[in-house]
Coordinates of all heavy atoms in Angstrom, one line a residue:
M1 N 0.8 -1.2 0.0 CA 0.0 0.0 0.0 C 0.9 1.2 0.0 O 1.9 1.3 0.7 CB -0.9 0.0 1.2 CG -1.4 1.3 1.7 SD -2.4 1.4 3.2 CE -2.7 -0.3 3.7
W2 N 0.5 2.3 -0.8 CA 1.2 3.5 -0.8 C 0.5 4.5 0.2 O -0.7 4.6 0.2 CB 1.2 4.2 -2.2 CG 2.2 3.6 -3.1 CD1 1.9 2.6 -4.0 CD2 3.5 3.9 -3.2 NE1 3.1 2.3 -4.7 CE2 4.1 3.1 -4.2 CE3 4.3 4.9 -2.6 CZ2 5.4 3.2 -4.6 CZ3 5.7 5.0 -3.0 CH2 6.2 4.2 -4.0
S3 N 1.3 5.2 0.9 CA 0.9 6.3 1.8 C 1.7 7.6 1.4 O 2.9 7.5 1.2 CB 1.1 6.0 3.3 OG 0.3 4.9 3.7
T4 N 1.0 8.7 1.3 CA 1.6 10.0 1.0 C 1.1 11.0 1.9 O 0.0 10.9 2.5 CB 1.3 10.4 -0.5 OG1 -0.1 10.5 -0.6 CG2 1.8 9.3 -1.5
G5 N 1.8 12.1 2.0 CA 1.4 13.2 2.8 C 2.5 14.2 3.0 O 3.5 14.2 2.3
T6 N 2.3 15.1 3.9 CA 3.2 16.2 4.2 C 3.3 16.3 5.7 O 2.3 16.3 6.4 CB 2.7 17.6 3.7 OG1 2.6 17.4 2.2 CG2 3.8 18.7 3.9
I7 N 4.5 16.4 6.2 CA 4.8 16.6 7.6 C 5.4 18.0 7.8 O 6.3 18.4 7.1 CB 5.8 15.5 8.2 CG1 5.2 14.1 8.1 CG2 6.2 15.9 9.6 CD1 6.1 13.0 8.5
W8 N 4.7 18.8 8.6 CA 5.2 20.2 8.8 C 6.0 20.3 10.1 O 5.7 19.7 11.1 CB 3.9 21.1 8.9 CG 3.2 21.1 7.6 CD1 2.1 20.4 7.2 CD2 3.5 22.0 6.5 NE1 1.8 20.7 6.0 CE2 2.6 21.7 5.5 CE3 4.5 22.9 6.3 CZ2 2.6 22.3 4.3 CZ3 4.5 23.6 5.1 CH2 3.6 23.3 4.1
M9 N 7.1 21.0 9.9 CA 8.1 21.2 11.0 C 8.2 22.7 11.3 O 7.7 23.5 10.5 CB 9.4 20.6 10.6 CG 9.4 19.1 10.2 SD 8.9 18.0 11.5 CE 10.5 18.0 12.5
N10 N 9.0 23.0 12.3 CA 9.4 24.4 12.5 C 8.1 25.3 12.6 O 8.0 26.3 12.0 CB 10.3 24.9 11.5 CG 11.0 26.2 11.8 OD1 11.0 26.6 13.0 ND2 11.6 26.8 10.9
E11 N 7.1 24.8 13.4 CA 5.9 25.5 13.7 C 5.1 25.8 12.4 O 4.6 26.9 12.2 CB 6.1 26.8 14.5 CG 6.7 26.6 15.8 CD 7.0 27.8 16.6 OE1 6.8 28.9 16.1 OE2 7.4 27.7 17.8
G12 N 5.2 24.8 11.5 CA 4.4 24.9 10.2 C 5.1 25.7 9.1 O 4.5 26.0 8.1
K13 N 6.4 26.1 9.3 CA 7.1 26.9 8.3 C 7.7 26.1 7.3 O 7.9 26.6 6.1 CB 8.1 27.8 9.0 CG 7.5 28.8 10.0 CD 8.6 29.6 10.7 CE 7.9 30.5 11.7 NZ 8.9 31.2 12.6
T14 N 8.1 24.8 7.6 CA 8.8 24.0 6.6 C 8.0 22.7 6.5 O 7.8 22.0 7.5 CB 10.2 23.7 7.1 OG1 10.9 24.9 7.4 CG2 11.0 22.9 6.0
G15 N 7.7 22.3 5.3 CA 7.0 21.1 5.0 C 7.9 20.1 4.3 O 8.7 20.4 3.4
Y16 N 7.7 18.8 4.6 CA 8.3 17.7 3.9 C 7.3 16.7 3.3 O 6.5 16.2 4.1 CB 9.3 17.0 4.8 CG 10.5 17.9 5.2 CD1 10.4 18.6 6.4 CD2 11.6 18.0 4.4 CE1 11.4 19.5 6.7 CE2 12.6 18.8 4.8 CZ 12.6 19.6 5.9 OH 13.6 20.4 6.3
D17 N 7.3 16.6 2.0 CA 6.3 15.6 1.4 C 7.0 14.2 1.5 O 8.2 14.1 1.4 CB 6.1 16.0 0.0 CG 5.4 17.3 -0.2 OD1 4.7 17.7 0.7 OD2 5.7 18.0 -1.2
Y18 N 6.1 13.2 1.6 CA 6.7 11.8 1.6 C 5.8 10.9 0.8 O 4.6 11.2 0.6 CB 6.8 11.3 3.0 CG 5.5 11.1 3.8 CD1 4.8 9.9 3.7 CD2 5.0 12.1 4.6 CE1 3.6 9.7 4.4 CE2 3.8 12.0 5.3 CZ 3.1 10.8 5.2 OH 1.9 10.6 5.8
Q19 N 6.4 9.9 0.3 CA 5.7 8.7 -0.3 C 6.4 7.5 0.3 O 7.6 7.4 0.4 CB 6.0 8.6 -1.8 CG 5.5 9.8 -2.6 CD 5.9 9.7 -4.1 OE1 6.9 9.1 -4.4 NE2 5.1 10.3 -4.9
V20 N 5.5 6.6 0.8 CA 6.0 5.4 1.5 C 5.2 4.2 1.0 O 4.0 4.2 1.0 CB 5.8 5.5 3.0 CG1 6.2 4.1 3.7 CG2 6.6 6.6 3.6
K21 N 5.9 3.2 0.5 CA 5.2 1.9 0.1 C 5.6 1.0 1.2 O 6.7 0.7 1.5 CB 5.8 1.4 -1.2 CG 5.0 0.2 -1.7 CD 5.4 -0.3 -3.1 CE 4.6 -1.4 -3.6 NZ 5.0 -1.8 -4.9
H22 N 4.5 0.4 1.8 CA 4.7 -0.5 3.0 C 3.7 -1.6 2.9 O 2.7 -1.6 2.2 CB 4.5 0.3 4.3 CG 3.2 1.1 4.3 ND1 2.1 0.5 4.9 CD2 2.8 2.3 3.8 CE1 1.1 1.4 4.8 NE2 1.5 2.5 4.2
Y23 N 4.1 -2.7 3.6 CA 3.3 -4.0 3.5 C 2.9 -4.3 5.0 O 3.3 -3.7 5.9 CB 4.2 -5.1 3.0 CG 4.6 -4.8 1.5 CD1 5.8 -4.2 1.2 CD2 3.7 -5.1 0.5 CE1 6.1 -3.9 -0.2 CE2 4.0 -4.9 -0.8 CZ 5.2 -4.3 -1.2 OH 5.4 -4.0 -2.5
E24 N 2.0 -5.3 5.0 CA 1.5 -5.8 6.3 C 2.6 -6.5 7.1 O 2.6 -6.4 8.3 CB 0.3 -6.7 6.1 CG -0.9 -6.1 5.5 CD -1.5 -5.1 6.5 OE1 -1.6 -5.4 7.7 OE2 -2.0 -4.0 6.0
E25 N 3.5 -7.3 6.4 CA 4.5 -8.0 7.1 C 5.9 -7.5 6.7 O 6.1 -7.0 5.6 CB 4.4 -9.5 6.6 CG 3.1 -10.2 6.9 CD 2.9 -10.4 8.4 OE1 3.9 -10.6 9.1 OE2 1.8 -10.2 8.9
P26 N 6.8 -7.6 7.7 CA 8.2 -7.1 7.4 C 8.9 -8.0 6.4 O 8.5 -9.2 6.3 CB 8.8 -7.2 8.8 CG 7.9 -7.9 9.7 CD 6.6 -8.0 9.0
S27 N 10.0 -7.5 5.8 CA 10.8 -8.3 4.9 C 12.2 -8.1 5.2 O 12.7 -7.0 5.1 CB 10.5 -7.9 3.4 OG 11.4 -8.4 2.6
E28 N 12.9 -9.1 5.6 CA 14.3 -9.1 5.9 C 15.1 -8.7 4.6 O 16.1 -8.0 4.7 CB 14.9 -10.4 6.5 CG 14.5 -10.6 7.9 CD 15.1 -9.6 8.9 OE1 16.2 -9.2 8.6 OE2 14.4 -9.2 9.8
E29 N 14.6 -9.2 3.5 CA 15.4 -9.0 2.2 C 15.2 -7.6 1.6 O 16.1 -7.0 1.2 CB 14.9 -10.0 1.2 CG 15.7 -10.0 -0.1 CD 15.3 -11.1 -1.0 OE1 14.5 -12.0 -0.7 OE2 15.8 -11.1 -2.2
F30 N 13.9 -7.1 1.6 CA 13.6 -5.8 0.9 C 13.2 -4.7 1.8 O 13.2 -3.5 1.4 CB 12.6 -6.0 -0.2 CG 13.0 -7.0 -1.2 CD1 12.3 -8.2 -1.4 CD2 14.0 -6.7 -2.1 CE1 12.6 -9.1 -2.4 CE2 14.4 -7.6 -3.1 CZ 13.7 -8.8 -3.2
G31 N 12.8 -5.0 3.0 CA 12.3 -4.0 3.9 C 13.4 -3.1 4.5 O 14.5 -3.6 4.8
L32 N 13.1 -1.8 4.7 CA 14.0 -0.9 5.3 C 14.3 -1.4 6.7 O 13.4 -1.5 7.5 CB 13.4 0.5 5.3 CG 14.2 1.6 6.0 CD1 15.6 1.8 5.3 CD2 13.4 2.9 5.9
D33 N 15.5 -1.7 7.0 CA 16.0 -2.2 8.3 C 15.2 -3.5 8.7 O 14.9 -3.8 9.8 CB 15.8 -1.2 9.4 CG 16.8 -0.1 9.3 OD1 17.9 -0.2 8.7 OD2 16.5 1.0 9.8
G34 N 14.8 -4.3 7.6 CA 14.1 -5.5 7.9 C 12.6 -5.3 8.2 O 12.0 -6.3 8.6
G35 N 12.1 -4.1 7.9 CA 10.7 -3.8 8.3 C 9.8 -3.9 7.1 O 10.0 -4.6 6.2
K36 N 8.7 -3.2 7.3 CA 7.6 -3.2 6.3 C 7.7 -2.2 5.2 O 7.0 -2.4 4.2 CB 6.3 -2.9 7.1 CG 6.0 -3.9 8.2 CD 4.7 -3.5 8.9 CE 4.5 -4.4 10.1 NZ 3.4 -3.9 10.9
I37 N 8.6 -1.2 5.3 CA 8.7 -0.2 4.2 C 9.6 -0.8 3.1 O 10.8 -1.2 3.4 CB 9.3 1.1 4.8 CG1 8.4 1.7 5.8 CG2 9.7 2.0 3.7 CD1 8.9 2.9 6.5
S38 N 9.1 -0.8 1.9 CA 10.0 -1.2 0.8 C 10.5 0.0 -0.1 O 11.5 -0.1 -0.8 CB 9.3 -2.2 -0.1 OG 8.2 -1.6 -0.8
K39 N 9.7 1.1 0.0 CA 10.1 2.3 -0.7 C 9.8 3.5 0.1 O 8.7 3.5 0.8 CB 9.4 2.4 -2.1 CG 9.8 1.3 -3.0 CD 9.1 1.4 -4.3 CE 9.4 0.3 -5.3 NZ 8.9 0.4 -6.6
M40 N 10.6 4.5 0.1 CA 10.4 5.7 0.9 C 11.1 6.9 0.2 O 12.3 6.8 -0.2 CB 10.9 5.6 2.3 CG 10.8 7.0 3.1 SD 11.7 7.0 4.6 CE 10.8 5.8 5.6
H41 N 10.4 8.0 0.0 CA 10.9 9.2 -0.6 C 10.5 10.4 0.3 O 9.3 10.4 0.6 CB 10.5 9.4 -2.0 CG 10.8 8.2 -2.9 ND1 12.0 7.9 -3.4 CD2 10.0 7.2 -3.3 CE1 12.0 6.8 -4.1 NE2 10.7 6.3 -4.1
I42 N 11.4 11.2 0.5 CA 11.1 12.5 1.3 C 11.7 13.6 0.5 O 12.9 13.6 0.1 CB 11.7 12.4 2.7 CG1 11.2 11.2 3.5 CG2 11.4 13.7 3.4 CD1 12.0 11.0 4.8
K43 N 10.9 14.7 0.3 CA 11.4 15.9 -0.3 C 10.9 17.1 0.4 O 9.9 17.0 1.1 CB 11.0 15.9 -1.8 CG 9.5 16.1 -2.0 CD 9.2 16.2 -3.5 CE 7.8 16.5 -3.7 NZ 7.3 17.8 -3.4
K44 N 11.5 18.3 0.1 CA 10.9 19.5 0.6 C 9.6 19.8 -0.1 O 9.5 19.6 -1.3 CB 11.9 20.7 0.4 CG 12.8 20.9 1.6 CD 13.2 22.4 1.7 CE 13.6 22.6 3.1 NZ 14.4 23.7 3.3
H45 N 8.7 20.3 0.7 CA 7.4 20.7 0.1 C 7.5 21.7 -1.0 O 8.2 22.7 -0.9 CB 6.5 21.2 1.2 CG 5.1 21.5 0.8 ND1 4.2 20.5 0.4 CD2 4.4 22.7 0.6 CE1 3.0 21.1 0.1 NE2 3.2 22.4 0.2
G46 N 7.0 21.3 -2.2 CA 7.0 22.2 -3.3 C 8.1 21.8 -4.3 O 8.1 22.2 -5.5
D47 N 9.1 21.1 -3.9 CA 10.2 20.6 -4.8 C 9.7 19.5 -5.7 O 8.7 18.8 -5.3 CB 11.4 20.1 -4.0 CG 12.3 21.2 -3.5 OD1 12.0 22.4 -3.8 OD2 13.3 20.9 -2.8
H48 N 10.4 19.2 -6.7 CA 10.1 18.1 -7.6 C 10.6 16.8 -7.0 O 11.6 16.8 -6.3 CB 10.8 18.3 -9.0 CG 10.5 17.3 -10.0 ND1 11.2 16.2 -10.2 CD2 9.5 17.3 -11.0 CE1 10.6 15.5 -11.2 NE2 9.6 16.1 -11.7
W49 N 10.0 15.7 -7.3 CA 10.4 14.4 -6.7 C 11.8 14.0 -7.1 O 12.5 13.3 -6.4 CB 9.4 13.3 -7.0 CG 8.2 13.4 -6.1 CD1 6.9 13.7 -6.4 CD2 8.2 13.1 -4.7 NE1 6.1 13.7 -5.3 CE2 6.9 13.3 -4.2 CE3 9.1 12.7 -3.8 CZ2 6.5 13.2 -2.9 CZ3 8.7 12.5 -2.4 CH2 7.4 12.8 -2.0
G50 N 12.3 14.5 -8.2 CA 13.6 14.3 -8.7 C 14.7 14.9 -7.7 O 15.8 14.5 -7.7
N51 N 14.2 15.8 -6.8 CA 15.1 16.4 -5.8 C 14.9 15.8 -4.5 O 15.1 16.5 -3.5 CB 14.8 17.9 -5.8 CG 15.1 18.6 -7.1 OD1 16.0 18.2 -7.8 ND2 14.4 19.7 -7.4
A52 N 14.5 14.5 -4.4 CA 14.3 13.9 -3.1 C 15.5 14.0 -2.2 O 16.6 13.8 -2.7 CB 13.8 12.4 -3.3
L53 N 15.3 14.2 -0.9 CA 16.3 14.3 0.0 C 16.7 12.9 0.6 O 17.8 12.6 0.9 CB 15.9 15.2 1.2 CG 15.6 16.6 0.8 CD1 14.9 17.3 2.0 CD2 16.8 17.4 0.4
V54 N 15.7 12.0 0.6 CA 15.8 10.6 1.0 C 15.1 9.8 0.0 O 14.0 10.1 -0.5 CB 15.1 10.4 2.4 CG1 15.1 9.0 2.8 CG2 15.8 11.3 3.5
S55 N 15.8 8.7 -0.4 CA 15.3 7.8 -1.4 C 15.7 6.4 -1.1 O 16.9 6.1 -1.1 CB 15.8 8.2 -2.8 OG 15.2 7.3 -3.8
Y56 N 14.7 5.5 -0.8 CA 15.0 4.1 -0.5 C 14.0 3.3 -1.4 O 12.8 3.5 -1.3 CB 14.7 3.8 1.0 CG 14.9 2.4 1.3 CD1 16.2 1.9 1.7 CD2 13.9 1.4 1.3 CE1 16.4 0.6 2.0 CE2 14.1 0.1 1.6 CZ 15.4 -0.3 2.0 OH 15.6 -1.6 2.3
E57 N 14.6 2.5 -2.2 CA 13.8 1.6 -3.1 C 14.4 0.2 -3.0 O 15.2 -0.2 -3.8 CB 13.7 2.0 -4.5 CG 12.9 3.3 -4.6 CD 12.4 3.6 -6.0 OE1 12.2 2.6 -6.8 OE2 12.2 4.7 -6.4
R58 N 14.0 -0.5 -1.9 CA 14.6 -1.9 -1.6 C 16.0 -1.8 -1.3 O 16.6 -2.9 -0.9 CB 14.2 -2.9 -2.7 CG 12.7 -3.0 -2.8 CD 12.4 -4.1 -3.8 NE 11.0 -4.2 -3.9 CZ 10.3 -4.7 -4.9 NH1 11.0 -5.3 -5.9 NH2 9.0 -4.8 -4.9
S59 N 16.7 -0.7 -1.4 CA 18.0 -0.4 -1.0 C 18.2 1.1 -1.0 O 17.4 1.8 -1.6 CB 19.1 -1.1 -1.8 OG 19.1 -0.6 -3.1
W60 N 19.2 1.6 -0.4 CA 19.4 3.1 -0.4 C 19.9 3.6 -1.7 O 20.9 3.2 -2.3 CB 20.4 3.4 0.7 CG 19.8 3.4 2.1 CD1 20.1 2.4 3.0 CD2 18.9 4.3 2.6 NE1 19.3 2.7 4.1 CE2 18.6 3.8 3.9 CE3 18.2 5.4 2.2 CZ2 17.7 4.4 4.8 CZ3 17.3 6.0 3.1 CH2 17.1 5.5 4.3
D61 N 19.1 4.6 -2.2 CA 19.6 5.4 -3.4 C 20.2 6.7 -2.9 O 21.2 7.2 -3.4 CB 18.4 5.7 -4.3 CG 17.8 4.4 -4.9 OD1 18.6 3.5 -5.3 OD2 16.6 4.3 -5.0
R62 N 19.5 7.3 -1.9 CA 20.0 8.5 -1.2 C 19.7 8.4 0.3 O 18.6 8.4 0.7 CB 19.3 9.7 -1.8 CG 19.8 11.0 -1.2 CD 19.4 12.2 -2.0 NE 20.1 12.2 -3.3 CZ 19.6 12.8 -4.4 NH1 18.5 13.4 -4.4 NH2 20.3 12.8 -5.5
H63 N 20.8 8.2 1.1 CA 20.6 8.1 2.5 C 20.1 9.4 3.1 O 20.2 10.5 2.6 CB 22.0 7.8 3.2 CG 22.4 6.4 3.1 ND1 21.9 5.4 4.0 CD2 23.2 5.7 2.2 CE1 22.4 4.3 3.6 NE2 23.2 4.4 2.6
C64 N 19.5 9.2 4.3 CA 19.0 10.3 5.1 C 20.1 11.3 5.5 O 21.1 10.8 6.1 CB 18.2 9.8 6.3 SG 17.4 11.1 7.2
P65 N 20.1 12.5 5.1 CA 21.1 13.5 5.4 C 21.1 13.7 6.9 O 20.1 13.5 7.6 CB 20.8 14.7 4.6 CG 19.4 14.6 4.2 CD 19.0 13.2 4.3
N66 N 22.2 14.2 7.4 CA 22.4 14.5 8.9 C 21.9 15.9 9.2 O 22.6 16.7 9.6 CB 23.8 14.3 9.3 CG 24.0 14.2 10.8 OD1 23.0 14.0 11.5 ND2 25.2 14.4 11.2
E67 N 20.6 16.1 8.9 CA 20.0 17.4 9.3 C 18.8 17.1 10.2 O 18.0 16.2 9.9 CB 19.5 18.1 8.0 CG 20.6 18.5 7.1 CD 20.1 19.1 5.8 OE1 19.0 19.7 5.8 OE2 20.8 19.0 4.8
Y68 N 18.7 17.8 11.3 CA 17.7 17.6 12.3 C 16.3 17.4 11.8 O 15.6 16.4 12.1 CB 17.7 18.7 13.4 CG 16.6 18.5 14.4 CD1 16.7 17.6 15.4 CD2 15.5 19.3 14.3 CE1 15.7 17.4 16.3 CE2 14.4 19.1 15.2 CZ 14.6 18.2 16.2 OH 13.5 18.0 17.1
E69 N 15.8 18.3 11.0 CA 14.4 18.2 10.6 C 14.1 17.0 9.7 O 13.1 16.3 9.8 CB 14.0 19.5 9.8 CG 13.7 20.7 10.7 CD 13.1 21.9 9.9 OE1 13.1 21.8 8.7 OE2 12.8 22.8 10.6
I70 N 15.0 16.7 8.8 CA 14.8 15.6 7.9 C 14.9 14.3 8.7 O 14.2 13.3 8.5 CB 15.9 15.6 6.7 CG1 15.6 16.9 5.9 CG2 15.7 14.4 5.8 CD1 16.7 17.2 5.0
K71 N 15.9 14.2 9.6 CA 16.0 13.0 10.5 C 14.7 12.8 11.3 O 14.3 11.7 11.6 CB 17.2 13.1 11.4 CG 18.5 12.8 10.6 CD 19.6 12.5 11.6 CE 20.8 11.9 11.0 NZ 20.6 10.5 10.6
A72 N 14.1 13.9 11.7 CA 12.9 13.9 12.5 C 11.7 13.3 11.7 O 10.9 12.5 12.1 CB 12.5 15.2 13.1
V73 N 11.6 13.8 10.4 CA 10.6 13.3 9.5 C 10.8 11.8 9.2 O 9.9 11.0 9.3 CB 10.6 14.1 8.2 CG1 9.7 13.5 7.1 CG2 10.2 15.6 8.4
Y74 N 12.0 11.5 9.0 CA 12.4 10.0 8.8 C 12.0 9.2 10.0 O 11.3 8.2 9.8 CB 13.9 10.0 8.5 CG 14.4 8.5 8.4 CD1 14.3 7.8 7.2 CD2 15.0 7.9 9.5 CE1 14.8 6.6 7.1 CE2 15.5 6.7 9.4 CZ 15.4 6.0 8.2 OH 15.9 4.7 8.1
A75 N 12.3 9.7 11.2 CA 11.9 8.9 12.4 C 10.4 8.8 12.5 O 9.9 7.7 12.9 CB 12.5 9.6 13.6
I76 N 9.7 9.8 12.2 CA 8.2 9.8 12.3 C 7.7 8.7 11.3 O 6.8 7.9 11.7 CB 7.6 11.1 11.9 CG1 7.9 12.1 13.1 CG2 6.1 11.0 11.7 CD1 7.6 13.6 12.7
L77 N 8.2 8.7 10.1 CA 7.7 7.7 9.1 C 8.1 6.3 9.5 O 7.3 5.3 9.3 CB 8.3 8.0 7.7 CG 7.8 9.4 7.2 CD1 8.5 9.7 5.9 CD2 6.3 9.4 7.0
I78 N 9.3 6.1 10.0 CA 9.7 4.7 10.5 C 8.8 4.3 11.6 O 8.3 3.1 11.6 CB 11.2 4.8 11.0 CG1 12.1 5.0 9.8 CG2 11.5 3.5 11.7 CD1 12.2 3.9 8.8
E79 N 8.5 5.1 12.6 CA 7.6 4.8 13.7 C 6.2 4.4 13.2 O 5.6 3.5 13.6 CB 7.5 6.0 14.6 CG 6.6 5.8 15.8 CD 7.1 4.7 16.8 OE1 8.4 4.6 16.9 OE2 6.3 4.1 17.5
K80 N 5.7 5.2 12.2 CA 4.4 5.0 11.7 C 4.2 3.8 10.8 O 3.2 3.0 10.9 CB 3.9 6.2 11.0 CG 2.4 6.2 10.6 CD 2.0 7.5 10.1 CE 0.5 7.5 9.8 NZ -0.1 8.8 9.4
Y81 N 5.2 3.6 9.9 CA 5.0 2.6 8.8 C 5.9 1.3 8.9 O 5.6 0.4 8.2 CB 5.2 3.2 7.5 CG 4.1 4.3 7.2 CD1 4.5 5.6 7.2 CD2 2.8 4.0 7.0 CE1 3.6 6.6 6.9 CE2 1.9 5.0 6.7 CZ 2.3 6.3 6.7 OH 1.4 7.3 6.4
N82 N 7.0 1.4 9.6 CA 7.9 0.3 9.6 C 7.7 -0.7 10.7 O 8.1 -1.8 10.8 CB 9.4 0.8 9.6 CG 10.3 -0.1 8.8 OD1 9.9 -0.7 7.8 ND2 11.5 -0.2 9.2

């Protein structure tokens, strides 16, 4: 199943759009950290998906950068879907 949305940070000043493909059961082979997420993309709200800050499609294409807000969005998505 695909889930999409926007997570707002910094008191609603900065938004991050996400797309997450997740399953009912975890997958050691394809799941992110052996979990239920098989695909995840995070980008700044308003940017094109080609400018994704995080990209995981059964393996890492673009790792999560070491920026507080993006790591927080990533953690929220892991908690909710993985």
